[in-house]
Amino acid sequence: MTAPFPTRREEDWRYADFDALRPVWEQFAELVTITVGAGESLEEIWLPIAEDVQLRRVQLALGAGARAGIFALNAAPVYGRIELEVSLEEGAEFDLYAANIGTGLSTNEVVTNVKHLEPNGRSRQTVRSVLNGKAVGSYLGKVEVAHGAQHTDGEQSVKAMLLDRGATANCKPELEIYADDVKCAHGATVGELDPLQLFYAESRGMDPATARALLLEGFIMGLWDTASEPQAICEAAREALRRVV
Amino acid sequence: MLDISNLHATVADKPILNGVTLHVPAGEVHAIMGPNGSGKSTLAYALAGRPGYAVTEGSATFTPTRHPRESGDPAEQERLGSRFRGNDEGLDLLALDPHERAAAGLFLGFQYPVEIPGVSYLQFLRESLNSQRRSRGEPDLSGAEFIKLAREQAKLLGMDAEMLKRPVNVGFSGGEKKRAEMVQMGIMNPTFAILDETDSGLDIDALRAVGAGINRIMRAPGKGVLLITHYQRLLDYVEPDRVHVLSHGKIVRSGGPELAHELEREGYAEAAA
Ligand SMILES: Nc1ncnc2c1ncn2[C@@H]1O[C@H](COP(=O)(O)OP(=O)(O)O)[C@@H](O)[C@H]1O
Ligand SMILES: [Mg+2]
């Protein structure tokens, strides 16, 4: 039996593109489960595929002391959704580096629910969006710290660059903390390119379009610095940026 | 080579330059000195075309050694566009966009070099140089050619070439940023450089390296330099042909190299009176 089709009243589906989702729902209704055993580590690089609608719905279970690093590029032409439900046992570490690169009328979203179940876990989520036209890019991220999950360190950093007036960035970091000794921080900014950085690049000979492209590339490429094999995602991100800038 | 005539400029509607007239012939280095807030950086920015620095009156004409019009190649002139062609006297600098001024051979050494996280120096400079070359109708340098050039120039300025792999100016000390500006100048090899307090914040060794760099890169018959500085120290290394005092947005005195010594002895207030 397929899980019921989501509704907009559900918080984590509020920005979804249901028209795009409906025809493919059956295929993605169930979350894919990935388990990382105690003390083990996992690195995943999620590249865009050649489809108008691209979903990844993953349940990630990290055992005690496990580590997971996810590098994800969300750049669907119509609707892209990266959904991650992560559970961390004692001392587990989770890193997410994700980009929404959107053009035209596309909707791309990163939706996470990170559950710190036990003490000493660390989660760090870094999301960068570059959007033009009427594109929508969203981050909905919930961090839950269970009762007793002391010394949890949770961080969410979200930044978006809107290249056109019609583009929209939604950012909704959410904390539910039931332990008293935890460190959770989130920061979110929506900005434009720094005019002084642009002038610096132009004063060195770059035309405005080249300068903008380079600065935007820097804004996104910083995400992949710690990936062990960043070439493919760098190339895919550059390709996606070329369509946007 | 650079002719500035009666230049007026405002920043945020506030008049800062009030009629600067200055003529730097090819082959010369001119120093500009003057109290804080007198408009030295504003002059540099107005000449480089920084947005927000509005020229309200006057002109600036720039004659690069190799005038784009002189190529005689109609295809190149077409690429350069009508504004780039200027008239027979030279390019109307103020009509050009900042990147076109760079392609014409102008370089600004920033008083406060800008940090750009996420973009490596190598990438930044390669993109800059090749953009300039394309504007001038020259072919791109290959990756290998560029790396060789960048390493050479870093070495000449006594900078560890590994630093060029780091993001532009991020985590650089004040002195390292200024040295890096000179490495950039070496790579771009401009025909005219405006250096805005490149000597501020340098220790003695760095000052010597920067002074030697300016002489090596810019002391040539077809080149010119506008050297903005507060100190005689740099002028001991890069001896100016002329020294000008800027005060309240105007050149109030000009003289030979001895004027810098006089300023150092007596201060701006006395010398400009
Ligand atoms: N962005 C700005 N907005 C308003 N005033 C400015 C700005 N930049 C410079 N100024 C003013 O212009 C004047 C000249 O500044 P500047 O050219 O930096 O002087 P200098 O380089 O000679 O120290 C100063 O009074 C300064 O406060
Ligand atoms: Mg200044």
Side-chain angles (χ1 to χ4, degrees):
Chain A
M1 211 196 86
T2 311
F5 193 73
T7 72
R8 202 165 301 283
R9 277 200 299 278
E10 289 167 70
E11 189 56 36
D12 53 343
W13 290 96
R14 60 190 287 187
Y15 300 116
D17 180 345
F18 288 127
D19 293 337
L21 182 63
R22 204 173 301 275
V24 297
W25 175 246
E26 281 209 20
Q27 188 188 340
F28 295 105
E30 303 307 324
L31 272 64
V32 174
T33 300
I34 302 176
T35 304
V36 186
E40 290 179 4
S41 49
L42 169 82
E43 180 180 300
E44 293 256 317
I45 292 183
W46 294 347
L47 299 174
I49 49 167
E51 297 287 340
D52 281 349
V53 180
Q54 306 171 15
L55 274 84
R56 281 184 200 269
R57 307 189 64 216
V58 173
Q59 202 163 28
L60 180 63
L62 304 182
R67 290 161 158 245
I70 309 279
F71 298 87
L73 174 59
N74 206 14
V78 175
Y79 177 46
R81 178 178 173 98
I82 289 171
E83 184 179 334
L84 262 165
E85 197 180 297
V86 186
S87 59
L88 294 88
E89 292 178 14
E90 167 130 33
E93 296 186 8
F94 168 66
D95 286 289
L96 172 67
Y97 296 96
N100 289 314
I101 301 178
T103 181
L105 294 167
S106 64
T107 297
N108 282 281
E109 55 189 3
V110 175
V111 180
T112 62
N113 186 355
V114 176
K115 301 174 181 183
H116 287 270
L117 306 175
E118 296 180 2
N120 301 317
R122 186 182 66 71
S123 65
R124 182 161 298 142
Q125 304 179 59
T126 310
V127 180
R128 300 286 178 260
S129 301
V130 174
L131 308 162
N132 79 358
K134 295 194 167 163
V136 177
S138 305
Y139 168 74
L140 296 158
K142 191 195 271 188
V143 176
E144 285 179 38
V145 182
H147 183 74
Q150 305 294 11
H151 308 295
T152 289
D153 183 353
E155 195 182 302
Q156 294 161 289
S157 161
V158 189
K159 289 185 188 163
M161 291 285 181
L162 305 179
L163 306 185
D164 290 308
R165 279 177 184 279
T168 307
N170 300 302
C171 171
K172 201 158 178 299
E174 213 181 321
L175 295 171
E176 266 182 34
I177 303 178
Y178 299 101
D180 50 20
D181 186 9
V182 303
K183 189 172 108 193
C184 285
H186 59 76
T189 57
V190 175
E192 292 168 4
L193 292 173
D194 176 5
L196 188 54
Q197 290 180 349
L198 276 172
F199 172 62
Y200 193 56
E202 290 172 26
S203 80
R204 296 302 182 245
M206 287 183 231
D207 60 82
T210 303
R212 279 161 60 97
L214 187 74
L215 293 185
L216 283 168
E217 194 177 308
F219 176 71
I220 293 295
M221 292 305 163
L223 287 169
W224 327 126
D225 281 348
T226 56
S228 55
E229 302 269 333
Q231 293 83 356
I233 199 160
C234 280
E235 200 34 61
R238 271 199 199 101
E239 174 68 33
L241 281 170
R242 270 195 285 274
R243 288 193 295 271
V244 173
V245 178
Chain B
M1 138 163 273
L2 181 67
D3 283 291
I4 305 167
S5 175
N6 191 33
L7 195 72
H8 288 67
T10 59
V11 182
D13 290 330
K14 189 169 131 195
I16 307 292
L17 299 183
N18 303 302
V20 174
T21 298
L22 190 61
H23 171 65
V24 185
E28 294 195 0
V29 172
H30 287 211
I32 294 198
M33 308 181 82
N36 291 325
S38 58
K40 302 183 297 298
S41 292
T42 303
L43 176 63
Y45 286 140
L47 293 173
R50 181 171 172 185
Y53 289 70
V55 173
T56 51
E57 209 185 320
S59 66
T61 305
F62 178 44
T63 315
T65 327
R66 180 174 171 276
H67 195 298
R69 272 165 63 93
E70 285 165 11
S71 76
D73 174 0
E76 178 172 337
Q77 293 188 10
E78 189 56 39
R79 257 194 311 272
L80 294 170
S82 58
R83 285 179 306 153
F84 221 134
R85 270 174 250 144
N87 59 28
D88 287 331
E89 273 73 58
L91 299 171
D92 175 2
L93 194 61
L94 304 175
L96 299 177
D97 289 338
H99 72 280
E100 296 171 320
R101 299 180 198 201
L106 185 74
F107 178 86
L108 170 61
F110 280 58
Q111 183 177 1
Y112 304 108
V114 179
E115 297 183 5
I116 309 182
V119 177
S120 80
Y121 239 122
L122 283 174
Q123 195 185 6
F124 179 78
L125 291 175
R126 187 177 167 198
E127 201 68 65
S128 298
L129 181 61
N130 281 335
S131 297
Q132 281 195 22
R133 293 175 64 92
R134 264 173 253 140
S135 298
R136 291 191 294 256
E138 299 162 4
D140 279 17
L141 282 193
S142 72
E145 288 167 323
F146 173 75
I147 297 274
K148 184 165 171 281
L149 173 65
R151 279 184 193 284
E152 251 167 41
Q153 291 300 324
K155 190 161 175 239
L156 284 166
L157 262 304
M159 187 172 124
D160 182 0
E162 286 298 299
M163 285 184 77
L164 295 174
K165 293 181 180 164
R166 290 174 29 192
V168 177
N169 291 323
V170 176
F172 285 40
S173 73
E176 286 169 342
K177 286 179 182 171
K178 295 298 180 69
R179 225 186 254 253
E181 290 286 289
M182 294 300 94
V183 174
Q184 296 189 41
M185 186 168 80
I187 291 171
M188 303 303 161
N189 193 19
T191 45
F192 197 95
I194 303 167
L195 303 179
D196 191 357
E197 296 200 25
T198 301
D199 53 339
S200 299
L202 295 182
D203 62 34
I204 297 167
D205 292 345
L207 185 72
R208 184 178 298 129
V210 163
I214 297 171
N215 288 327
R216 173 177 55 81
I217 302 161
M218 299 307 297
R219 267 292 185 195
K223 295 191 171 193
V225 178
L226 207 51
L227 201 60
I228 298 172
T229 180
H230 280 299
Y231 305 107
Q232 176 60 39
R233 290 188 315 170
L234 179 63
L235 303 181
D236 290 338
Y237 295 104
V238 187
E239 207 188 313
D241 298 281
R242 301 282 294 166
V243 175
H244 310 275
V245 182
L246 190 72
S247 175
H248 300 290
K250 271 188 160 163
I251 304 281
V252 293
R253 251 190 99 180
S254 297
E258 70 288 348
L259 177 55
H261 290 282
E262 184 189 326
L263 289 167
E264 183 120 304
R265 265 195 328 269
E266 300 175 7
Y268 293 124
E270 197 66 27

